[in-house]
């Protein structure tokens, strides 16, 4: 630990006495602040990564051209393999369904999912099947590659 000494280190007793959640006063000071971790271009880059990760498991996923992204969120249009349409809001908190159609924001869904996979798992049984099939294919390829390696080594 460069720049710190043992005198700066907290004892186990001090660590255990630290508050686990911010006080009400601290929370109140930041309650009205809009959370921003990325600029608008950063959210577009984040969305591109999400799209690349899940596009093989859904019919359609793309950034909404009609709902404006901001410094705190971006909207994705999603069509599941079951042909159900959704608008998904991506924020620093995670993923949230905000409409049961593309390019809309009219639901007050309280469920926020940490990953696109957990969101898809909750709305699309066909996603689960496609993800499982893809995982099985990858494991079979790995097994075949190992068998070829073992044959070459013997």
């Amino acid at each position: 630990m460069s720049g710190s000494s043992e005198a700066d280190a907290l004892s186990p007793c001090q660590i255990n006495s630290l508050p686990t959640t911010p006080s009400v006063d601290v929370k109140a000071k930041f309650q009205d602040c809009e959370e921003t971790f990325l600029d608008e271009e950063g959210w577009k880059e984040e969305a591109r990564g999400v799209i690349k990760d899940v596009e093989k498991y859904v019919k359609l996923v793309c950034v909404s051209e009609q709902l404006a992204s901001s410094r705190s969120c971006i909207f994705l249009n999603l069509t599941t393999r079951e042909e159900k349409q959704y608008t998904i809001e991506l924020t620093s908190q995670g993923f949230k369904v905000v409409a049961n159609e593309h390019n809309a924001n009219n639901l007050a869904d309280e469920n926020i999912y940490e990953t696109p996979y957990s969101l898809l798992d909750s709305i699309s049984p066909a996603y689960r099947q496609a993800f499982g099939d893809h995982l099985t294919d990858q494991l079979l390829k790995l097994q075949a590659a190992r068998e070829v390696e073992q044959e070459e080594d013997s």
Side-chain angles (χ1 to χ4, degrees):
M1 295 173 72
S2 62
S4 66
S5 68
E6 286 188 26
D8 295 334
L10 295 173
S11 72
C13 188
Q14 290 170 312
I15 291 171
N16 289 337
S17 68
L18 291 174
T20 55
T21 58
S23 70
V24 173
D25 292 338
V26 171
K27 287 180 182 177
K29 287 180 184 177
F30 293 101
Q31 187 172 10
D32 295 328
C33 293
E34 183 179 359
E35 242 180 303
T36 58
F37 289 97
L38 301 171
D39 60 14
E40 197 169 330
E41 193 54 43
W43 281 112
K44 289 179 181 175
E45 183 64 32
E46 182 73 16
R48 283 191 285 272
V50 169
I51 289 167
K52 184 179 178 204
D53 284 350
V54 302
E55 65 188 349
K56 60 184 154 268
Y57 307 119
V58 298
K59 290 268 186 183
L60 170 86
V61 60
C62 63
V63 173
S64 172
E65 297 295 328
Q66 295 178 21
L67 296 174
S69 59
S70 70
R71 294 176 50 98
S72 61
C73 71
I74 192 165
F75 295 92
L76 303 173
N77 288 329
L78 174 76
T79 303
T80 65
R81 289 181 172 219
E82 296 90 350
E83 300 290 338
K84 292 183 180 175
Q85 294 186 355
Y86 298 95
T87 302
I88 309 300
E89 180 184 44
L90 171 55
T91 68
S92 60
Q93 293 180 323
F95 299 82
K96 181 167 71 168
V97 174
V98 294
N100 291 323
E101 59 187 314
H102 289 170
N103 300 309
N105 185 359
N106 55 21
L107 290 180
D109 188 0
E110 297 298 317
N111 293 322
I112 298 175
Y113 302 89
E114 288 186 23
T115 68
Y117 313 110
S118 60
L119 180 140
L120 285 169
D121 193 57
S122 75
I123 64 174
S124 175
Y127 156 77
R128 278 182 247 136
Q129 182 65 45
F131 185 84
D133 291 348
H134 182 251
L135 184 58
T136 299
D137 290 345
Q138 295 302 313
L139 289 171
L140 289 172
K141 287 178 186 175
L142 181 61
Q143 181 183 9
R146 286 191 174 164
E147 288 172 359
V148 167
E149 273 183 16
Q150 288 175 349
E151 287 175 9
E152 289 175 354
D153 289 345
S154 41

